[in-house]
Amino acid sequence: MKVWILRHGEAEGHAPTDAERNLTEHGRAEVLRSAAHLIGQPLGAIIASPYVRAQQTAHLVREALGFDADIRTVPWLTPEGNPSQVLENLDSDDNVLLVSHQPLVGSLISFLQHGHQRQPQPMYTASLAELEGDFPLAGLMSLVSVRNP
């Protein structure tokens, strides 16, 4: 099983709420560069935060890959999400792309890799991490790569 974790691209600095911030043009370009690393991968699902910038990121990736399935939008991938809750919701998914935010993405990568969140993985905008393992279990997945756009 593979899990790819993608942080959204660069977003506007201001909006009425944090959840409403849009990607910038630079952010869109970053996302497309990261999406190129997913070409040819056995992607089974794209799951994204409901925040606008994560939705825009997921849609850009979906379009760039020609991915047919709908994007699943879930409330447990917001910035302050809990890595344990993410794992509870992944047990039936295989080869999945998660599109989310810091600090969740860094904490989730650390949790999957080491079983704890004490040293979160640094993730810049549109950074893409690939993890691999038999099951998405805390401490039992290997970090294959982290790519920055």
Side-chain angles (χ1 to χ4, degrees):
M1 149 172 234
K2 289 186 179 185
V3 175
W4 292 273
I5 300 172
L6 176 63
R7 184 177 174 198
H8 62 79
E10 179 187 83
E12 298 171 333
H14 301 286
T17 67
D18 183 45
E20 297 175 80
R21 292 172 48 216
N22 287 295
L23 291 178
T24 63
E25 285 304 314
H26 176 73
R28 290 177 184 280
E30 288 179 319
V31 169
L32 292 175
R33 284 192 299 274
S34 290
H37 296 290
L38 292 167
I39 293 171
Q41 294 293 335
L43 196 60
I46 298 174
I47 306 173
S49 158
Y51 285 25
V52 171
R53 61 193 179 274
Q55 287 290 307
Q56 291 170 334
T57 296
H59 283 278
L60 283 168
V61 171
R62 182 177 181 262
E63 186 177 301
L65 298 179
F67 188 74
D68 291 330
D70 289 335
I71 294 165
R72 289 180 20 211
T73 302
V74 296
W76 40 266
L77 283 177
T78 56
E80 302 304 325
N82 181 323
S84 295
Q85 186 179 19
V86 173
L87 287 187
E88 289 170 14
N89 286 286
L90 282 185
D91 56 359
S92 65
D93 290 305
D94 198 20
N95 299 329
V96 62
L97 170 65
L98 304 177
V99 181
S100 190
H101 317 262
Q102 279 290 48
L104 177 60
V105 294
S107 296
L108 179 59
I109 293 165
S110 178
F111 192 57
L112 287 169
Q113 196 178 3
H114 306 296
H116 62 76
Q117 303 171 50
R118 290 188 293 269
Q119 294 180 306
Q121 174 71 38
M123 292 286 284
Y124 302 102
T125 56
S127 288
L128 177 67
E130 178 182 348
L131 294 106
E132 197 166 35
D134 291 333
F135 301 100
L137 294 173
L140 294 181
M141 294 197 80
S142 299
L143 183 64
V144 176
S145 67
V146 175
R147 292 185 171 96
N148 298 312

